[in-house]
Structures are given as structure tokens and as C-alpha cells.
Amino acid sequence: MTSKLMDYFNKQPRIGILSTASKDGKVDSAIFGSPNMIDEKTVVVATGKNRTFANLQENPYAIYLIMEPDPEWKGIRVYMKMKESATSGEMLDTIKSQITKMAGEDFAQMMNATVTFEIIELRPLVDMGQGWEKSI
């Protein structure tokens, strides 16, 4: 992975959808603004006590889809595997503080946990064989 990917992943504003599935294959997708790429292979997400968090406790795989409001359909699909989750700690406190600044205290208090993922694959938003680098 490259710093180009980190810059793109962390750029704001963006539309991001995190998709997860339960152990029996029931899929959930939700808009997430909190994912942050902290190094070339690691993504951290804050989540509430919700279907996404429940699914990740059963099935560690997820996809984060980033779309840009662009007529050329720019964006990437980031395939990830959960490494760990935590319902307390410095990382959760830091993310809650950032969310408070961006979206307000009420929204920040809804955050129940942090989830740390390892990136396992990247694909373009619309895959025509061009590679992810040409889709951002």
C-alpha cells in the first residue's frame, strides 16, 4: 500500500459505506464517517452497539466502500479483516473527541467501540481491470 492510498482513504468529505455479514450470511451496510487509515495496512473504525458491531463479533470480514461525488465514479473498495475490538481505551476516547468536533456530543456518545482492521485487498469502485490506483 502507499501513502497515496492513506491520503485518499482519510480525505474528507467522503461517502463511505461499511458492509459486514453475520455468521449466517445476513449482510448489513451502513454509512460510516469515522474510518481512519492509521498506517499502510491498518484501519480503525468507531461503532455503536449496532448490527455492524454484532456482525463483526461473528464474522471478522468487512468491506469499506469509498465513493466520491464525481461523474466518473471515482472510489475504491477496501476489503478488511478485523484484528481486534475494544469498548474502552485511549483510541475510543480520541475518536469520540474527533466526532464531537465534527458531529456533536450526542453522536460521539453513541460510539461504543473501536474496531481495528487489517486491509487484505483493494479494488476499484467500478472494476474494469484498471487497478485501484487509477480509480481515485
Side-chain angles (χ1 to χ4, degrees):
M1 312 297 161
T2 66
S3 62
K4 179 180 178 183
L5 174 62
M6 283 183 66
D7 292 343
Y8 184 77
F9 191 102
N10 294 328
K11 181 172 77 171
Q12 293 288 346
R14 66 170 184 245
I15 298 169
I17 300 169
L18 184 65
S19 297
T20 59
S22 64
K23 67 181 175 188
D24 58 353
K26 291 182 182 170
V27 177
D28 181 62
S29 291
I31 293 176
F32 270 74
S34 69
N36 191 30
M37 195 170 170
I38 61 171
D39 65 37
E40 293 187 353
K41 285 286 237 176
T42 309
V43 172
V44 176
V45 176
T47 183
K49 256 187 208 177
N50 54 28
R51 194 175 294 175
T52 297
F53 188 68
N55 283 353
L56 288 167
Q57 302 313 297
E58 298 178 359
N59 177 350
Y61 293 94
I63 297 172
Y64 189 60
L65 184 141
I66 301 171
M67 295 183 297
E68 283 189 68
D70 184 292
E72 295 185 24
W73 295 100
K74 289 185 177 182
I76 56 174
R77 292 178 279 171
V78 182
Y79 291 73
M80 307 179 298
K81 182 177 182 182
M82 183 178 73
K83 295 192 304 187
E84 64 183 1
S85 64
T87 56
S88 64
E90 184 178 336
M91 188 167 302
L92 182 59
D93 294 341
T94 299
I95 293 173
K96 281 184 170 185
S97 176
Q98 293 168 346
I99 291 172
T100 297
K101 291 175 189 169
M102 292 180 359
E105 181 71 27
D106 291 342
F107 193 72
Q109 289 308 313
M110 291 172 30
M111 297 299 106
N112 178 65
T114 55
V115 179
T116 304
F117 291 99
E118 177 183 6
I119 296 172
I120 54 177
E121 184 182 1
L122 297 167
R123 294 184 61 204
L125 180 64
V126 178
D127 195 346
M128 307 289 258
Q130 77 276 25
W132 68 268
E133 298 92 339
K134 292 185 179 172
S135 66
I136 62 174

